[in-house]
Amino acid sequence: MKGKPTEKPATWSQPVFQKLKKDDNCSLLIATSKFLAFLRKFICTNCLLSWKLWLPKARKRKHRLERQALDFLGIMNTPKLTLEEILTLTLEISLTFFGVIGNLLVVTLIFKLGKKRQPMDFYFLHLAIADLGTLLIAFPFLDIRKRLPRNWPLGEFTCRYLYPLTEIFLGASVWFIVAIAFRRYRSIVKGTLDLKKEKDTKKVKRSIFCVWMVSFVFLCLPLYFIVAYREFPDGDRWCGPTWPTWDPNLVAARFYFGFIALFTYFMPLCVIAFAYIFISRALKRTSTFIKAINRERNKPNSVTCQSTFKSARLVENKRAQRVLTPLILVFAFTMLPLNVFRLLFVVWPPAMTKEKYYASIVYVISIFVILNSAINPIIYVLMSRNFRKGVHNLCTWYSR
C-alpha cells in the first residue's frame, strides 16, 4: 500500500530562511534593521566623542613634529652655502662614510670567524663598535651643535639623555687601544696569559665590560648634571653644558676639561708608551738570543727545534707589533689637537670666546677625531695579513 510521500528533513544544504513563513521573514528583517540602526548610532556617538578628545592632542603633536622636522631640515637648507662650507662639509661626510664602511667590515669579519675568534679579536671588535658610535652618533650631534648653536632640532629628551652618551664612544675607543697594548705586553714581555682559551676569553670579556662602564661613569655621568635644554621667547632652543653661576672663574669647567684630557689622552698615552718600550726591548732581546743560537752549528737537534720554535714566535710577535705601532701613532697624532685645546681652556678660559678662530679650530679638531675613528681599518688592511685574507675571503663569498 502506497502512503503519502513523507517530507524530507531539513539539512545544512537547505537554507534556513526557506523554512520561514512570510510573516517571520518580515519580523526578522525589522529586528535586524533596528539593531543595525542602534549599532550605527552607538558607534558614531563614541567615535565622535573620542575624536573630540583626541583631536587637540593630535594637532599639538603634529605641529611639534612639523616644527622639529623643519628645524632638522634647516641643517641641510642653510641659505647660501659658500664654496668653503661646501668643501668642508663634503670632506667630513666622505671621511665619515669611509670610516663607517671600514669599521662595519671589521665587525663583519670578526663575527664571521665564529668559534675561531681569538680573545684579542674581541678587543678589535669593540674598538670598531666604539669607532662606529663616534662616527654615527657623537660626530652628528656635535656637528648639529656647531651649525645650529641656537636652534637645537632634536628635542629636550635627546638633549638631556642621549647627547651626554656621546662621550662614551671616544673614551672606550681610547681605552680599548690601551687594553690591546697591555695584552701584547703581558703576552710578549711577561708571558702570563692563560693557556686555556675559554678562561682567557672570559677575562677579556670582563675587561671589555669594565672599559664601557668606566667610560660611562667618568665621561658621561657628569654630563647629566651639566647639560641643559633651554627654550627662549623668540623660539630658539639651546642645548649644551651649563656651569654654576656662583663660579665666575669657571673652576668647575676647567677641572672637568683638565680631567677629561688627562683621562682620555695623557694617561692612556703614558701606559701605551711604556708598554711599547718594554715590548720593543723584549723583541730585541729575543732576536739577539736567536741569532746567537743560530751561529752555533754543532748543537743537538733539541736546541735546533727550540731555536725554530722561538723564531716562529718572534715572527708572530713582530707581526703583532706592526699592527700596534701605527695604532699608537695615529691615536697620539689625531687626538693631540683636541686635548691641546682642552688644556688651553684650562689655562686660558677666554679661548672659548674668540669667535674669529673658534670655528676654524673646532673644524680642525673634528676632522682629526673623525680620522682617529676612520683610519684603524686601513691600518688592519696594510699591516695584518690575516685581515687581508679575511677581506679577500669575504669578497669571494659575496661574488658567488
Side-chain angles (χ1 to χ4, degrees):
M1 180 177 174
K2 296 181 179 180
K4 294 182 179 180
T6 58
E7 187 178 357
K8 294 182 180 180
T11 62
W12 287 106
S13 62
Q14 297 176 345
V16 176
F17 288 104
Q18 292 180 2
K19 295 295 181 179
L20 297 174
K21 295 181 180 180
K22 187 176 181 179
D23 295 339
D24 296 335
N25 287 336
C26 293
S27 61
L28 180 62
L29 290 174
I30 292 171
T32 304
S33 63
K34 288 183 178 180
F35 176 74
L36 292 176
F38 170 76
L39 186 63
R40 183 181 62 183
K41 184 178 180 181
F42 177 80
I43 293 174
C44 291
T45 304
N46 284 275
C47 289
L48 183 61
L49 180 62
S50 301
W51 177 258
K52 288 181 178 179
L53 294 175
W54 177 78
L55 186 60
K57 297 181 180 179
R59 285 177 177 172
K60 290 181 180 179
R61 185 171 181 269
K62 179 184 176 182
H63 293 326
R64 186 174 68 252
L65 291 176
E66 287 178 351
R67 186 181 65 184
Q68 293 179 0
L70 290 174
D71 291 341
F72 185 75
L73 291 175
I75 301 172
M76 305 304 296
N77 297 329
T78 49
K80 295 182 181 180
L81 286 175
T82 63
L83 179 61
E84 181 182 358
E85 291 175 341
I86 294 174
L87 292 176
T88 55
L89 187 61
T90 303
L91 179 60
E92 290 177 348
I93 294 175
S94 301
L95 292 175
T96 303
F97 175 76
F98 286 110
V100 169
I101 296 299
N103 285 288
L104 283 176
L105 184 62
V106 174
V107 173
T108 304
L109 289 176
I110 295 177
F111 270 111
K112 284 185 69 66
L113 290 176
K115 295 182 178 180
K116 296 181 180 179
R117 284 194 294 261
Q118 299 298 320
M120 180 64 75
D121 294 332
F122 289 98
Y123 285 127
F124 288 108
L125 172 64
H126 284 265
L127 176 60
I129 293 173
D131 288 337
L132 283 173
T134 301
L135 295 171
L136 294 176
I137 300 176
F139 170 68
F141 277 19
L142 294 175
D143 199 58
I144 289 173
R145 277 200 64 212
K146 180 179 68 175
R147 297 182 182 278
L148 299 173
R150 297 273 298 182
N151 196 14
W152 176 259
L154 303 179
E156 183 177 0
F157 178 83
T158 305
C159 174
R160 291 184 180 275
Y161 301 105
L162 298 184
Y163 175 70
L165 285 175
T166 57
E167 293 292 333
I168 193 175
F169 300 109
L170 189 59
S173 176
V174 170
W175 284 99
F176 281 131
I177 296 176
V178 176
I180 292 171
F182 185 69
R183 183 176 175 82
R184 295 298 187 196
Y185 167 79
R186 289 182 58 200
S187 175
I188 296 173
V189 180
K190 296 295 184 180
T192 56
L193 295 181
D194 292 323
L195 298 178
K196 293 183 178 180
K197 182 180 176 180
E198 295 182 358
K199 189 176 180 180
D200 194 18
T201 302
K202 289 181 180 180
K203 289 184 177 180
V204 168
K205 289 182 178 180
R206 284 198 293 266
S207 65
I208 289 171
F209 176 77
C210 290
V211 168
W212 285 110
M213 287 302 300
V214 169
S215 299
F216 173 79
V217 171
F218 286 99
L219 301 179
C220 299
L221 194 59
L223 291 178
Y224 282 104
F225 302 96
I226 299 172
V227 173
Y229 175 79
R230 293 178 180 175
E231 294 185 357
F232 298 94
D234 57 356
D236 290 348
R237 291 170 299 279
W238 180 83
C239 175
T242 57
W243 305 102
T245 56
W246 47 263
D247 187 12
N249 295 324
L250 297 177
V251 176
R254 293 160 74 178
F255 175 79
Y256 174 76
F257 280 102
F259 172 77
I260 294 298
L262 179 66
F263 183 75
T264 61
Y265 186 74
F266 294 103
M267 186 187 301
L269 191 61
C270 290
V271 175
I272 292 171
F274 280 112
Y276 186 80
I277 291 172
F278 285 112
I279 289 172
S280 300
R281 288 180 178 178
L283 291 177
K284 186 176 180 180
R285 286 196 301 266
T286 305
S287 179
T288 304
F289 176 72
I290 291 174
K291 288 179 181 179
I293 291 180
N294 290 333
R295 291 194 194 99
E296 300 180 1
R297 302 292 184 180
N298 300 323
K299 293 291 182 180
N301 293 332
S302 59
V303 177
T304 305
C305 294
Q306 184 181 7
S307 174
T308 305
F309 172 75
K310 287 183 174 293
S311 299
R313 186 175 179 182
L314 178 64
V315 171
E316 183 181 356
N317 291 336
K318 285 187 175 181
R319 286 176 182 170
Q321 190 187 23
R322 281 203 300 268
V323 177
L324 181 61
T325 302
L327 276 179
I328 297 172
L329 294 177
V330 167
F331 162 71
F333 178 71
T334 56
M335 298 303 293
L336 181 62
L338 174 60
N339 291 280
V340 168
F341 185 67
R342 285 169 173 169
L343 290 182
L344 179 63
F345 174 76
V346 172
V347 178
W348 187 40
M352 289 284 192
T353 62
K354 301 295 181 181
E355 296 183 0
K356 183 178 179 180
Y357 307 103
Y358 182 77
S360 300
I361 293 174
V362 170
Y363 175 73
V364 172
I365 290 173
S366 63
I367 290 296
F368 275 95
V369 172
I370 294 173
L371 280 174
N372 177 66
S373 299
I375 206 169
N376 288 339
I378 300 175
I379 295 174
Y380 303 151
V381 171
L382 295 178
M383 300 298 175
S384 176
R385 186 177 62 182
N386 293 333
F387 188 79
R388 290 196 299 270
K389 185 178 179 181
V391 173
H392 176 73
N393 293 338
L394 186 65
C395 295
T396 304
W397 183 77
Y398 275 111
S399 62
R400 291 177 182 176

